[in-house]
Amino acid sequence: MSKINVFLEEKMMPVAGKIAAQRHLQALRDGIILAMPLIIIGSLFLILGFLPIPGYNEWMASIFGELWLTKLTYPVTATFDIMALVATFGIAYRLAEHYKVDPLSAGAISLSAFILATPYFTMFTPAGAEAAIEVTGVLPIALLGSKGLFVGILIAILSTEIFRYIIQKGLVIRMPAGVPPSVSKSFVALFPAAIVIIVVWLLRLIIEVTPFESLHNIVGQLLQEPLSVFGTTLIGAIVYVLLVHLLWVCGLHGAAIIGGIMGPIMLAATDENRLALQAGTEIPNIVNAQFFDIFIFMGGSGATLMFAIMMLIFAKSQQSKQLGKLAIGPGIFNINEPIVFGAPIVMNPILMIPFILAPVVMVISTFVLMHIGFAPKTTGVAVPWTTPPIIGGILAAGGNWRGGMMQAINLVIAFAIYYPFFKVWDKQNLQLEIGTESDKEN
């Protein structure tokens, strides 16, 4: 273990430092953190809406009415589903700070450019109708959340680069010295803003005459093609978790993006298992929706539950301890945005390694042990993804205790993979805290 720590500190940390100093990566990391308070608040309402307690839904409906869940999750929509908007503003703001240009103007311009790049319609199927109709004059809320995050990142970087280039070249409107600074800054931003809007507008017009139709569709369709060949095999499962977590460490909601494409395949496999269970025949599929939701994503994507427990129990840094206290509650219910964006794991060269590696190893262990019959396959029961570990494994396996045991084995695997990286990360936080205290004393 000590050799691994030495390797990480002496070999990886210097490289990690150079990567962390890259201005665009710093802006990406710090900009996304802007959404952190909203995500935490939304997570609390999400937990309350999906507590995996028998009779909970009926009890809530008897008190608050049939629409209790819809009303309870209003704050979830208002926090999670504006992630792309907040991140677009935040990334542009932080990048502009690096270039020492007006960050507020940069953020506002990038936000406008993002809206411009987003389609102004959505498809809606009325009750009783067979075909969907196009509703214009609206912004699809799905594209304002995690599904639009990648486009938001691109727009934020592009618009801010154009903004700062024009300002640094002096191609701006300068007001007399007596004009208030706020007014002066708005006029300085006028010409760069016009160029950004024109560039994104032309880009949208060009894309609209292509089969992609929108920038958002380009992202989805380019991801969809390579994933269409993957199914319910071990290789497909490994590739799936790799793509999900590679997107996550880049600040993108990998489960939402890749899951939106692979979801129908996984749900079909789950239902095949249900039909086999009802027919009394052998359950066919190892890899399905429950395979990932229950046995791999314990604590959320990256299997971060054990990482939250490490912070809570073993951390020496106050930052790590506080984050552990904050993350353990949502983590038990498989919600880990506090860790992903709070540690952060996003663009973190140290923590991204176990975040990617642990799920891959767990996919292999779960697949092999289910294949040889040591652990039961999932029975097609749609266990909520918020179900805590052990309980979720037992329910997914149709009440078989070996399902919970399979989860326990995977938790041990996750602990072994995360621990050396946790030690390095916690030590780094502790050294920063000691340095800050020394600076205050001096």
Side-chain angles (χ1 to χ4, degrees):
M1 189 71 70
S2 60
K3 292 182 178 180
I4 296 176
N5 290 339
V6 169
F7 170 78
L8 291 173
E9 291 179 7
E10 295 183 356
K11 304 296 182 181
M12 179 173 289
M13 286 302 296
V15 177
K18 293 180 180 179
I19 295 174
Q22 211 284 327
R23 63 168 61 94
H24 295 93
L25 297 183
Q26 284 186 341
L28 177 60
R29 179 194 63 201
D30 297 340
I32 291 177
I33 288 178
L34 183 63
M36 185 66 183
L38 298 177
I39 292 171
I40 294 173
I41 295 169
S43 296
L44 297 176
F45 286 91
L46 191 62
I47 292 173
L48 293 175
F50 295 92
L51 285 174
I53 300 174
Y56 174 74
N57 292 349
E58 291 76 11
W59 179 71
M60 292 291 286
S62 66
I63 298 175
F64 301 105
E66 293 298 326
L67 297 177
W68 71 271
L69 183 57
T70 300
K71 296 180 179 180
L72 181 63
T73 53
Y74 284 162
V76 178
T77 300
T79 52
F80 279 86
D81 288 346
I82 62 167
M83 187 185 299
L85 289 176
V86 177
T88 300
F89 180 89
I91 293 167
Y93 189 99
R94 295 304 182 189
L95 185 57
E97 282 186 329
H98 281 282
Y99 286 120
K100 301 187 184 305
V101 294
D102 182 24
L104 194 60
S105 296
I109 293 167
S110 69
L111 197 58
S112 177
F114 174 78
I115 297 297
L116 179 57
T118 303
Y120 300 157
F121 70 90
T122 189
M123 302 305 293
F124 173 71
T125 304
E130 296 182 357
I133 60 174
E134 182 179 297
V135 180
T136 59
V138 298
L139 288 171
I141 196 166
L143 299 182
L144 306 183
S146 59
K147 289 185 178 180
L149 192 54
F150 185 73
V151 174
I153 291 170
L154 296 177
I155 291 294
I157 293 174
L158 174 64
S159 66
T160 306
E161 287 292 341
I162 295 174
F163 177 75
R164 68 92 184 172
Y165 178 82
I166 294 174
I167 288 180
Q168 290 174 351
K169 291 298 182 180
L171 304 175
V172 296
I173 300 174
R174 300 289 183 184
M175 300 299 290
V179 176
S182 59
V183 177
S184 179
K185 286 181 180 180
S186 66
F187 274 90
V188 167
L190 183 60
F191 183 65
I195 297 300
V196 170
I197 296 301
I198 290 172
V199 168
V200 177
W201 173 59
L202 292 175
L203 181 62
R204 174 171 178 164
L205 294 179
I206 292 171
I207 294 175
E208 283 184 342
V209 298
T210 69
F212 291 110
E213 297 183 344
S214 78
L215 187 57
H216 292 271
N217 288 340
I218 290 179
V219 175
Q221 292 182 33
L222 289 181
L223 286 172
Q224 184 174 2
E225 289 299 323
L227 291 176
S228 63
V229 299
F230 299 135
T232 57
T233 63
L234 175 59
I235 299 300
I238 292 173
V239 173
Y240 173 76
V241 296
L242 277 174
L243 290 172
V244 166
H245 292 87
L246 285 171
L247 288 173
W248 263 119
V249 299
C250 293
L252 313 177
H253 197 307
I257 297 172
I258 306 300
I261 299 170
M262 296 296 291
I265 298 174
M266 297 304 160
L267 289 176
T270 300
D271 201 48
E272 286 178 11
N273 286 7
R274 177 188 64 83
L275 293 173
L277 179 68
Q278 291 179 324
T281 58
E282 182 180 355
I283 293 177
N285 299 311
I286 294 176
V287 179
N288 51 56
Q290 299 297 302
F291 176 88
F292 294 107
D293 290 345
I294 303 302
F295 293 98
I296 309 303
F297 300 150
M298 288 183 288
S301 296
T304 55
L305 179 59
M306 296 310 295
F307 183 63
I309 293 174
M310 288 177 199
M311 289 190 288
L312 193 64
I313 298 176
F314 302 112
K316 296 180 180 179
S317 160
Q318 288 301 316
Q319 175 186 337
S320 304
K321 289 180 181 178
Q322 291 301 320
L323 182 58
K325 293 176 182 178
L326 185 66
I328 190 63
I332 292 173
F333 297 95
N334 304 316
I335 297 170
N336 69 344
E337 276 80 1
I339 291 179
V340 173
F341 298 108
I345 289 175
V346 173
M347 291 302 173
N348 189 318
I350 296 174
L351 296 181
M352 69 170 60
I353 296 175
F355 185 80
I356 296 172
L357 181 60
V360 172
V361 176
M362 291 163 65
V363 163
I364 296 172
S365 66
T366 306
F367 189 96
V368 170
L369 292 178
M370 286 186 176
H371 181 71
I372 65 176
F374 179 82
K377 299 175 184 178
T378 59
T379 60
V381 176
V383 180
W385 62 271
T386 51
T387 305
I390 310 302
I391 297 174
I394 294 172
L395 295 176
N400 192 326
W401 64 271
R402 288 186 299 161
M405 183 178 64
M406 183 68 250
Q407 283 190 305
I409 292 172
N410 279 346
L411 287 173
V412 172
I413 292 172
F415 184 93
I417 292 173
Y418 268 101
Y419 189 73
F421 298 92
F422 160 76
K423 293 293 289 183
V424 174
W425 173 76
D426 184 52
K427 182 178 180 181
Q428 186 181 40
N429 288 342
L430 183 61
Q431 289 174 342
L432 288 173
E433 291 172 2
I434 293 173
T436 301
E437 290 297 326
S438 299
D439 292 340
K440 290 180 179 179
E441 293 176 359
N442 295 331

